[in-house]
């Protein structure tokens, strides 16, 4: 019966080589969690920074969960995409982070990566756009045999998340 | 001299020359005057040199030289004298230079050198070089210590970094030189050092390249794709795949009719069709199946009969068996009959062909029919004979037993049935072996025809989502009217497949479109491996006239041989194709998998709907479905029912309790805080979820209570009732219950259908982004400048377009409703008698004199002028329970010219258009008469300041919905005020005759008009949705056409209304014309007035107007109208404007009128639907919401614009420049005025969706009585409630007399007889001054009645002696349609 409010925003991203960026995001929870209100997933607008390196989205996240257990604490997965001058979109990075578990405001920086692919694909990416993507998106957080994957580092996504917890103490969880 | 010049720079050389000259002069002077060695010459020579040699000493002499210059000049005069001496002077000059320059300035020294050895010696004095020889350990350790080696003692010593031995020695030697150097050594005598930081690399490396990658980690290269959200394959967070592929294999065309057919081919095509049908039936072999079933059933009966003990159960099953046997037998007979008739017609056609071939003398088709006797059938016949005998004996045995009548009956059945079994023994065999007659032997016509065939060519264009994707090659028509393409097209899809359309083109001399056909999208399971060809039929209605003996297309002709039969065949044929999803290289189907559940749902629906099970309700009510399936006994093995069976199985399975012991996450439970049930029970969570789903209206703005105990249960009742609608309404009157139920039902139905239609509302950019205004554009600048030049007041000022404001920028308090009350005409005036009596309160007047006086006053013209001032009207505007009031003026033609600002706060503080349009409130404009009554008591209760009481009497009102204002953004004009049919105490002013010539209307004298202007400030921008029609139920061509028509019309006149297709209550899209059909009005109404046809029309329109209206909102209906059938509308007793109009139109059609439904807009009501009837010389407009009719040129008809007409055959759209009602020509046959949807000769195949006849139920009289009492009681209570300060007295006598008057009002609508002839009432009038009026309304619910009474403000009288009278009457029409009359009066006793 404990409740968790996740209120915050996806501030933006830094360190990407591409310029026009947007982000698809989603929140994944375990079976014990129930979404009371809010939207689980979404997509930000495209931001092309004119000044500086950081792309700002300031995309709000407002979720209210009820949970009957601690398993499956909500986690955020992110996909940063870039849009080129033709309006085409391509993947710029996958990212994943847990929603913090202590109440209060948290500044999160979620580093991202993207699969590198074969040299042919790299070449194609450099010249005609597009790029290798994961077939199964859940690899982003399952992390099974990921050491086998050749990846390149993307930039960092910055999040600012405030957390409100309720009734956890009632079940012996100190926070 | 020349050498000199070479060594020195050119510039210097010139100066030097000057110096030489002076030198020469000097020498000359020396020669001439040797004695004189003056300093002057020395100086001058030095001065010449100082130009190129500047040493320190001579620089200082420069000062002197400048002084001497003048002297030099004087000498130069003499230079000519010594020119011969020049040479001598130069030779002297060289020597002089060498001496002066080189020796003084330069010095030459030898290079310094130091010996190496010496250098080393010097260095050794300062530099220490440690030796690289090993150091004795004794020296390194403190004296007397033996080196201790820890490693030998068993300690673990980390590896030290490897150092070159010599370097180490050197270091040691160096350290030993230092005083404190010994501390650098360990006990073992070695240098202290950290363990080596260098780690050795792993010896075993992962073999990444060889092993195959985990499939979960596979990456794919994706092209950078520009995608359009919404319409493309919806990408989820975990996007699966992006490319899907459809394979389309177009095999060929086969014409079943073609304009180049000759008569033989027509017959041949018919034969083929029959034969195909026959084969189909043969394959299904229904008679055989039924026969088997019959056999099995008889066997079972036999077995059951043999069982000696017959208990209840077996008897029941026996009975069941017999019933089934008789049923199956009927079916069996029917099927066999069909088979036989089919066979007969096959043979007949074949005979026709044969005779035709003979007649024309050649054969042009290779068809040949042979009839064989079937072996299998013979066997079967024998078999049946055997069984026959068997059964007969059995039957006899049974007869002997004769235990039950039932069994006897059963046996009888058997016998009858067996006799009839005669399977078909003739089998027609079709072959294409007949010889074609050679071309040369044919007639000339035939030759030409064949030549034409060869010239014809065809190709097909493929359109995917209305975009051409590809086309086939051009292929020629073969002799047997086939066109072969045999091409496969692979389509890679990026967007949702919506339509796949093939267009068949014919190439003869020119290319023309022959037919267009839509292919159904393949199921997700239909993959490439599938090889079965599918057929799509197509047709073309293009008429082709014949030339050379061929038959025609779409032109009637008579078939040779069968003289009477006239045929009109359209070009038609079949296209054979296969359409399937492709597989990728791994064999994975390239199919979008997103909506499998939905497709299953649809297929279930399709199958079941076809069998006439009422549309939606059963899907919700699974129980009913089970019952139904049990009743019908559907065969579970029949593939046709597979969907349904699956659904039933699934539902049954779902009902079963999931076993407790299977858990995917076993330990989860142990860690849980609470159980699932407890979570579900939490009220707070429920409330939050409801709010999130948008189903909670009350708590939308408030904060959620933090604890469960703070949440009252009542909150859920509303939302629960939305989910489970079956609220018990035992307490309420059955009619009221029906009203509530039907309103709820409609709401629910709409929600369900909307869900199915799945509206996608897209925002425009302007809805989200608020464009900033340019600060100064050139046009603004010129405007500003022009302002100075412009005349101050234009002669013809032009209206400025008001700026529209987007909803995002509006906040609370910004929005206002402005209502300007300009003036009113012809307000009823108080009766003079009343005034007089009030003025002289104590005068005693006999009833007769009073009457006489009244008569005289009313007749006397002179008094009317006095009478003119006898009303003090003011206007009240009320909206959402706030009331605004104008000043009081006097006279029956008052002019207020006042603006009222109605503040307005949107619920939820959301000012978006969609939210505002949900407001269902009405704006009431009421006219009151303010009346002062002199105080006669000594003590005053409340208003002591004045000496009079103020009371207001309601005279009439104008009501319009807020949504109408929102949509039109302004309402202005003169409107007729709704005045109750009888206003007690008031009479019509006789002076209003001025504008009589303008309006030739009979009753104009008894109408009040009010001129108002209302608007919303600021204007809210109207969001228009672009609905995307995507679901076509049937008759795709017509619906498509309707959509295109609508689109075109909207493009021409975006502001005019047009509705071509609507959704019915099953969510199917249907052409509007199918709603129109002559339907019977209630018998009682027709019987009432048999003689007078116009009165019948009136009473029918009144009946329709009494059906309650559904409060409609704007956005819900936009683009997605859901209309009920008229029968539904009556049985539910609710309907929207369009449904009312359709119902009225249907009634009129039944009475033989020519009627149409008209869509337009009304000033007061916004979008409306009227009924247009065509009289002999004029058109009448019927308003279904009031039951009134207007002529076209009636100035006070609220209908403003006429946009669209439709009846049962067609839809017409008004394309006249002016759509104002007065200017519109209603002659719809003129194509330049009215654009029609369907062509004139179009044959509408689908019949109306309305039922044959409406059955009306009788209204329960006792319930009506109960309702009447209920209303009366409630109103009385409310009246008292509204007057908390004063006592409310009821005058029973007056009430009872009012009650008697009321029924007459309903009967005599239109011609209201003066009610004052009532004798009893007369007497009252003499004692009291009575002010009152009846109100009439259709019955929707109690609250609306209460509201209407409250609006009149009759309760607000402050005069303490006021008495009230109230009477309620309900006139009932069939099917619970009620007309409620409330008569209200307030009485004041004369003093």
């Amino acid at each position: 019966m404990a409740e968790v409010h996740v209120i915050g925003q996806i501030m933006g991203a830094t360190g990407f080589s591409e310029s026009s960026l947007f982000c698809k995001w989603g929140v994944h929870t375990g079976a014990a969690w129930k979404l009371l209100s809010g939207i689980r997933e979404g997509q930000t607008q495209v931001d092309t920074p004119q000044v500086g390196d950081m792309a700002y989205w300031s995309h709000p996240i407002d979720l209210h969960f009820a949970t009957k257990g601690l398993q499956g604490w909500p986690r955020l997965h992110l996909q940063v995409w870039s849009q080129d001058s033709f309006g085409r979109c391509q993947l710029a990075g996958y990212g994943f982070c847990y929603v913090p578990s202590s109440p209060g405001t948290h500044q999160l920086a979620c580093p991202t990566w993207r699969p590198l692919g074969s040299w042919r694909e790299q070449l194609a990416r450099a010249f005609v756009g597009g790029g290798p993507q994961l077939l199964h998106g859940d690899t982003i957080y399952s992390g099974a045999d990921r050491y086998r994957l050749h990846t390149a580092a993307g930039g960092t996504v910055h999040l600012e998340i405030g957390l409100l917890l309720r009734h956890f103490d009632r079940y012996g969880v100190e926070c | 001299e020349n050498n000199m010049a070479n060594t020195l720079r050119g510039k210097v050389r010139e100066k030097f020359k000057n110096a030489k000259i002076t030198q020469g002069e000097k020498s000359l002077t020396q020669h001439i005057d040797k004695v004189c060695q003056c300093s002057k010459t020395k100086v001058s020579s030095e001065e010449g040199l100082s130009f190129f040699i500047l040493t320190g000493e001579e620089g200082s002499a420069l000062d002197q030289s400048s002084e001497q210059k003048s002297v030099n000049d004087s000498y130069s005069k003499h230079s000519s004298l010594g020119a011969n001496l020049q040479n001598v002077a130069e030779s002297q000059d060289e020597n002089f230079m060498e001496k002066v320059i080189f020796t003084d300035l330069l010095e030459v020294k030898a290079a310094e050198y130091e010996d190496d050895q010496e250098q080393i010696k010097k260095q050794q004095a300062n530099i220490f070089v440690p030796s690289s020889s090993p150091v004795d350990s004794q020296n390194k350790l403190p004296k007397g210590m033996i080196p201790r080696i820890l490693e030998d003692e068993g300690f673990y010593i980390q590896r030290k970094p490897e150092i070159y031995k010599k370097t180490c020695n050197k270091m040691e030697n160096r350290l030993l030189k230092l005083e404190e150097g010994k501390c650098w050594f360990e006990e073992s005598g070695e240098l202290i050092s950290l363990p080596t930081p260098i780690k050795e690399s792993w010896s075993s490396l992962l073999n990444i390249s060889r092993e195959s990658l985990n499939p979960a980690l596979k990456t794919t290269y994706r092209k950078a794709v520009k995608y359009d959200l919404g319409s493309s394959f919806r990408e989820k967070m975990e996007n699966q795949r992006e490319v899907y592929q459809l394979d389309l294999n177009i095999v060929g065309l086969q014409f079943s009719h073609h304009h180049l057919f000759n008569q033989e081919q027509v017959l041949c095509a018919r034969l083929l069709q029959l034969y195909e049908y026959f084969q189909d039936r043969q394959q299904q072999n229904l008679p055989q199946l039924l026969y088997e079933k019959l056999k099995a059933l008889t066997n079972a009966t036999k077995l059951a009969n043999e069982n000696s003990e017959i208990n209840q159960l077996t008897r029941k099953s026996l009975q069941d068996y017999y019933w089934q046997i008789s049923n199956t037998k009927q079916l069996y007979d029917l099927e066999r009959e069909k088979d036989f008739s089919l066979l007969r017609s096959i043979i007949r056609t074949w005979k026709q062909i044969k005779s035709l071939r003979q007649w024309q003398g050649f054969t042009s088709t290779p068809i040949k029919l042979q009839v064989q006797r079937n072996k299998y059938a013979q066997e079967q016949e024998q078999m049946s004979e055997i069984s026959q005998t068997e059964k007969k004996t059995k039957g006899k045995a049974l007869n002997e037993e004769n235990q039950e009548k039932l069994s006897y009956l059963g046996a009888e059945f058997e016998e009858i049935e067996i006799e009839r079994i005669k399977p078909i023994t003739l089998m027609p065999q079709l072959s294409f072996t007949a010889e074609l007659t050679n071309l040369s032997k044919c007639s000339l016509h035939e030759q030409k025809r064949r030549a034409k065939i060869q010239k014809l060519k065809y190709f097909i264009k493929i359109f995917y989502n209305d975009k051409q994707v590809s086309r086939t090659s051009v292929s020629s028509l073969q002799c047997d009217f086939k066109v072969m393409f045999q091409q496969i097209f692979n389509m890679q899809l990026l967007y949702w497949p919506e339509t796949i359309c093939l267009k068949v083109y014919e190439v003869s001399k020119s290319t023309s479109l022959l037919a267009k056909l839509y292919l159904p999208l393949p199921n997700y399971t239909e993959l490439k491996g599938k090889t079965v060809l599918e057929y799509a039929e197509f047709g073309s209605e293009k008429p082709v006239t014949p030339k050379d003996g061929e038959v025609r297309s779409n032109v009637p002709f008579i078939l040779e041989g069968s003289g009477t039969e006239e045929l009109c065949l359209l070009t038609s044929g079949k296209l054979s194709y296969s359409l399937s999803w492709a597989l990728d290289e791994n064999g994975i189907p390239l199919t979008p998998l997103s909506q499998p559940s939905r497709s299953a749902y649809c297929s279930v629906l399709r199958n079941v709907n076809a069998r006439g099970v009422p549309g939606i309700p059963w899907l919700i009510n699974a129980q009913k479905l089970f019952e139904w399936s049990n009743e019908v006994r559907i065969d579970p093995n029949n593939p046709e029912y597979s969907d349904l069976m699956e659904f039933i199985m699934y539902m049954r399975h779902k009902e079963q309790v999931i076993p407790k012991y299977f858990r995917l996450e076993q330990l989860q439970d142990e860690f849980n805080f609470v159980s699932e049930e407890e979570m579900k029970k939490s009220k707070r969570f429920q409330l939050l979820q409801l709010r999130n789903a948008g189903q909670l209206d009350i708590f939308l703005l408030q904060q959620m209570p933090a604890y469960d105990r703070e949440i009252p249960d009542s909150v859920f009742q509303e939302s629960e009732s939305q989910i489970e609608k079956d609220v018990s309404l035992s307490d309420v009157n059955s009619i009221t219950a029906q009203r509530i139920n039907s309103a709820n039902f409609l709401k629910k139905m709409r929600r369900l259908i909307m869900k199915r239609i799945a509206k996608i509302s897209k925002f425009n950019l302007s809805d989200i982004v608020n464009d900033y205004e340019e600060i100064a554009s050139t046009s603004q600048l010129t405007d500003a400048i022009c302002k100075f030049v412009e005349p101050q007041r234009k002669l013809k000022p032009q209206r400025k377009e008001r700026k529209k404001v987007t909803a995002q920028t509006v906040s609370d308090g910004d929005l206002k409703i402005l209502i300007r009350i300009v003036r009113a005409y012809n307000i009823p005036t108080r009766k003079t008698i009343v005034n007089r009596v009030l003025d002289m309160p104590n005068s005693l007047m006999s009833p007769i004199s009073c009457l006489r006086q009244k008569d005289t006053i009313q007749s006397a013209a002179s008094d009317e002028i006095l009478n003119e001032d006898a009303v003090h009207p003011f206007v009240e505007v009320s909206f959402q329970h706030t009331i605004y009031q104008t000043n009081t003026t006097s006279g029956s033609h008052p002019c207020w010219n006042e603006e009222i600002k109605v503040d307005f706060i949107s619920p939820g503080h959301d000012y978006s258009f969609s939210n505002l349009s949900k407001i269902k409130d009405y704006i009431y404009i009421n006219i009151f008469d303010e009346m002062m009554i002199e105080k006669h008591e000594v003590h005053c209760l409340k208003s002591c300041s004045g000496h009079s009481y103020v009371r207001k009497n309601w005279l009439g009102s104008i009501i319009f919905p807020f949504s109408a204002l929102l949509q039109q953004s302004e309402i202005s004009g003169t409107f007729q005020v709704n005045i109750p049919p009888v206003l007690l105490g008031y009479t019509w002013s006789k002076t209003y005759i001025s504008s009589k010539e303008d309006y030739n209307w009979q009753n104009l004298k008894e109408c009040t008009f009010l001129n108002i202007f209302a608007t919303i400030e600021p204007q809210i921008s109207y969001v228009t949705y672009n609905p995307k029609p995507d679901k076509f139920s049937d008759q795709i061509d017509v619906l498509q056409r309707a959509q295109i028509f609508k689109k075109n019309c909207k493009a021409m006149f975006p502001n005019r209304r047009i509705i071509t297709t609507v959704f019915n209550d099953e969510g199917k899209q249907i052409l509007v014309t199918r709603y129109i059909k002559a339907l019977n009005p209630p018998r009682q109404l027709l019987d009432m007035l048999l003689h007078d046809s116009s009165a019948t029309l009136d009473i029918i329109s009144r009946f329709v107007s009494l059906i309650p209206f559904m409060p409609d909102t704007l956005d819900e209906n936009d683009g997605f109208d859901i209309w009920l059938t008229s029968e539904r509308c009556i049985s539910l007793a609710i309907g929207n404007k369009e449904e009312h109009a359709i119902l009225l139109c249907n009634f009129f059609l039944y009475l033989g009128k020519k009627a149409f439904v008209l869509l337009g807009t009304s000033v007061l009501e916004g979008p409306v639907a009227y009924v247009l009837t065509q009289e002999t010389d004029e058109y009448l407009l019927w308003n279904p919401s009031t039951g009134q009719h207007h002529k076209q040129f009636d100035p006070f008809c609220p209908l403003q614009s006429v946009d669209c007409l439709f009846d049962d055959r067609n839809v017409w759209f008004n394309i006249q420049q002016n759509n104002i009602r007065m200017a519109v020509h209603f002659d719809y046959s003129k194509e330049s005025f009215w654009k029609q949807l369907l062509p004139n000769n179009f044959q509408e195949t689908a019949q109306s969706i309305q039922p044959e006849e409406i059955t009306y139920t009788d209204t329960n009289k006792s319930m009506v009585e109960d309702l009447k009492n209920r209303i009366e009681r409630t109103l009385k209570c409310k009246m008292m409630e509204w007057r908390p300060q004063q006592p409310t007295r009821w005058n029973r006598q007056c009430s009872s007399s009012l009650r008697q008057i009321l029924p007459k009002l309903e009967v005599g609508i239109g011609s209201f007889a003066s009610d004052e002839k009532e004798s009893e009432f007369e007497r009252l009038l003499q004692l009291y001054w009575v002010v009152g009026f009846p109100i009439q309304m259709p019955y929707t619910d109690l609250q609306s009645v209460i509201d209407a009474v409250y609006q009149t403000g009759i309760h607000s009288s402050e005069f303490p002696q006021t008495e009230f009278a109230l009477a309620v009457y309900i006139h009932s029409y069939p099917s619970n349609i009620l007309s409620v009359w409330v008569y209200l009066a307030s009485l004041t006793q004369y003093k």
Side-chain angles (χ1 to χ4, degrees), chain A residues 1 3 24 36-38 64 66 68 71 79 87 89 124 129-133 135 139 141 145 148-149 166 171, chain B residues 212 214 216-222 224-226 237-238 668 671-674 676 684-685 688-689 692 706:
Chain A
M1 295 274 270
E3 291 171 51
K24 298 180 183 185
L36 291 179
S37 63
H64 188 184
K68 56 176 181 176
Q71 280 81 7
Q79 285 181 15
C89 302
Q133 288 173 30
L135 264 179
T139 319
Y141 43 85
D145 278 339
R148 307 277 304 276
L149 212 56
R166 187 171 188 247
Y171 304 101
Chain B
S212 68
N214 187 340
L217 290 169
K218 242 180 200 168
T219 59
T220 47
Y221 183 78
R222 293 224 179 96
V225 168
K226 195 173 174 177
M237 191 68 195
E238 289 97 0
Q668 181 85 61
F671 289 112
N672 277 354
F673 302 152
V674 286
E676 187 78 36
R684 178 176 146 85
F685 291 172
L688 282 167
Q689 279 181 312
N692 192 38

Side-chain angles (χ1 to χ4, degrees), chain B residues 1070-1086:
Chain B
I1070 278 176
L1071 211 61
V1072 285
T1073 56
R1074 292 177 65 192
Y1075 277 89
I1076 308 291
K1077 179 177 183 282
L1079 285 174
N1080 57 318
R1083 199 72 255 150
Q1084 293 93 315
L1085 297 185
L1086 297 180

Side-chain angles (χ1 to χ4, degrees), chain B residues 500-660:
Chain B
I500 298 172
C501 174
L502 301 182
K503 287 184 181 172
V504 183
Y505 284 88
E506 189 178 70
V507 190
S508 49
K509 275 164 199 155
S510 58
T511 310
S512 62
L513 176 67
L514 181 73
K516 201 164 132 182
L517 56 156
Y518 287 87
L519 301 186
L521 292 173
N523 220 336
Y524 295 119
T525 53
E526 282 173 23
L527 301 176
K528 201 184 176 182
K530 187 191 73 161
T531 49
V532 188
L533 283 186
E534 282 175 81
Y535 296 95
E537 295 191 354
F538 63 90
S540 152
E541 52 190 33
K542 196 175 70 178
V544 182
T545 44
K547 274 182 199 147
D548 308 303
E550 63 262 25
V551 297
R552 30 211 114 182
S553 273
N554 205 7
V555 178
F557 65 96
I558 294 171
L559 202 63
E560 220 72 45
S562 62
T564 52
E565 202 180 356
E566 199 188 50
L567 285 175
C568 178
L569 294 173
L570 304 178
T571 304
S572 61
K574 273 192 285 191
L575 172 96
S576 46
Y577 73 97
S578 73
L579 183 62
S580 57
W581 295 100
L583 303 172
D584 67 359
E585 66 267 20
N586 301 331
I588 298 165
L590 297 165
T591 315
L593 287 167
S594 54
Q595 294 164 309
S597 58
R598 190 177 151 160
S599 70
Y601 174 83
C602 286
S603 73
V604 169
L605 211 66
R606 183 194 63 221
N607 272 346
V608 178
N609 269 355
R611 272 164 193 82
V613 178
I616 317 158
W618 68 266
L619 260 185
I620 302 146
N621 193 344
Q623 195 58 43
K624 263 194 183 158
L625 182 70
F626 297 154
E627 277 170 27
W628 174 79
S629 64
N630 277 337
E631 235 172 72
V632 183
R633 266 169 227 290
I634 52 172
D635 185 356
N637 297 324
N638 190 339
E640 270 188 67
Y641 291 110
S642 61
D643 285 338
L644 192 61
M645 287 313 292
E646 262 173 43
F647 180 71
I648 291 171
M649 288 276 277
Y650 169 70
M651 288 304 285
R652 287 215 174 116
H653 178 75
K654 221 170 90 173
E655 272 173 26
Q656 286 165 1
V657 189
I658 303 157
K660 287 265 189 218

Side-chain angles (χ1 to χ4, degrees), chain B residues 230 257 343 630 987 1012 1149 1344:
Chain B
H257 184 80
L343 204 59
N630 277 337
T987 182
I1012 56 166
L1149 288 174
S1344 62

